[in-house]
Amino acid sequence: MAMQNLVIDDMKVSAFKESAFVKPLSLEFKQNGKQRKWDMIKVHDSVIIVIFNINRQKLILVKQFRPAIYYSSVPAVDKENGTIDTSKYPPSLGITLEFCAGIVDKSKSLVETARDEVLEECGYDVPIDKIQKFKTVRAGVSTQGAYQTFFYVEVTDNMRINQGGGLVDEGEVIDVVEMSIPEAEAYAEALDNLSPPGFLFGLLWFLKNKSTTL
């Protein structure tokens, strides 16, 4: 799964130090009188937006390089020395297909955050009243438990005011892609793919609740 303008090299593996996005914690507690300890990660809540272009009759998706996916795809023996040979293991191992999404890290409502992400990642300027919330779940229940809120919005070609691609000054490199309903059905049936559970949930929700009415 290739991406435009993506070059990954000089990759090193290091111990976790400090981050504005994740914070490792340990909870110590008693459960039925027995002392327990649970390691977890504190992360931001997030939004996911299922976007459907009614002119093109296509889902609007994004591809991007996910370092954690790439890292987990490389055999342990080839990352023991703290470096990864990106010529041996191509970036495609870490490129995922997802819905537009983002973390909630600003003083804005969830729907405002969703609108901003649609514009930044996919280039569509969508009125807030057109964005429909359809589910809130808990992500990564064994390690994080953050809220993940799903939205749905239908867009038209004339709503697209730029090419999207994410915020360049924050290092984002995102390709906007389209998927027809038959392609989405086939993707949902595939035994293996490089997409997170949230994407597959949103895709199945769309196929069940929207695809037959469009």
Side-chain angles (χ1 to χ4, degrees):
M1 187 186 295
M3 281 183 64
Q4 301 178 24
N5 304 317
L6 177 67
V7 177
I8 302 294
D9 54 21
D10 194 26
M11 181 172 285
K12 299 178 178 64
V13 182
S14 60
F16 185 92
K17 295 180 181 178
E18 187 175 346
S19 170
F21 302 102
V22 299
K23 182 178 181 181
L25 301 168
S26 291
L27 295 181
E28 297 184 17
F29 58 97
K30 285 186 176 180
Q31 180 174 303
N32 295 341
K34 182 178 180 180
Q35 189 68 34
R36 297 199 64 189
K37 179 182 177 182
W38 196 272
D39 297 330
M40 57 173 285
I41 301 173
K42 182 180 179 181
V43 301
H44 291 286
D45 295 336
S46 61
V47 295
I48 296 178
I49 310 96
V50 179
I51 307 170
F52 187 76
N53 186 311
I54 58 176
N55 294 135
R56 299 173 181 272
Q57 289 290 292
K58 298 282 185 69
L59 284 163
I60 307 301
L61 311 176
V62 298
K63 288 193 299 185
Q64 56 189 314
F65 178 76
R66 295 297 197 181
I69 299 298
Y70 179 83
Y71 177 84
S72 67
S73 300
V74 176
V77 67
D78 285 336
K79 53 194 176 188
E80 288 179 343
N81 65 354
T83 63
I84 296 177
D85 185 352
T86 54
S87 64
K88 182 178 181 181
Y89 298 102
S92 58
L93 293 174
I95 295 175
T96 61
L97 185 66
E98 306 177 34
F99 287 117
C100 171
I103 61 173
V104 181
D105 62 345
K106 299 179 178 66
S107 57
K108 293 186 176 184
S109 67
L110 292 176
V111 69
E112 288 173 323
T113 301
R115 180 185 182 277
D116 288 349
E117 294 296 338
V118 171
L119 180 58
E120 291 169 7
E121 293 192 359
C122 301
Y124 289 89
D125 189 4
V126 181
I128 281 182
D129 61 1
K130 300 295 184 181
I131 303 174
Q132 166 198 349
K133 173 185 171 181
F134 66 87
K135 183 70 72 173
T136 295
V137 300
R138 292 297 190 108
V141 293
S142 64
T143 57
Q144 51 176 282
Y147 287 99
Q148 194 169 62
T149 301
F150 289 78
F151 293 90
Y152 173 72
V153 63
E154 293 177 358
V155 300
T156 59
D157 286 343
N158 62 14
M159 290 180 183
R160 195 171 193 192
I161 62 173
N162 62 58
Q163 296 303 304
L167 299 176
V168 176
D169 59 346
E170 294 186 6
E172 292 184 327
V173 179
I174 294 172
D175 281 359
V176 182
V177 297
E178 298 180 347
M179 179 181 281
S180 68
I181 292 176
E183 289 170 336
E185 291 172 335
Y187 194 84
E189 292 293 330
L191 292 179
D192 297 289
N193 54 54
L194 285 178
S195 294
F199 172 82
L200 296 173
F201 169 76
L203 185 63
L204 291 172
W205 177 89
F206 170 82
L207 293 173
K208 178 182 178 181
N209 295 281
K210 295 295 181 180
S211 65
T212 58
T213 64
L214 295 167

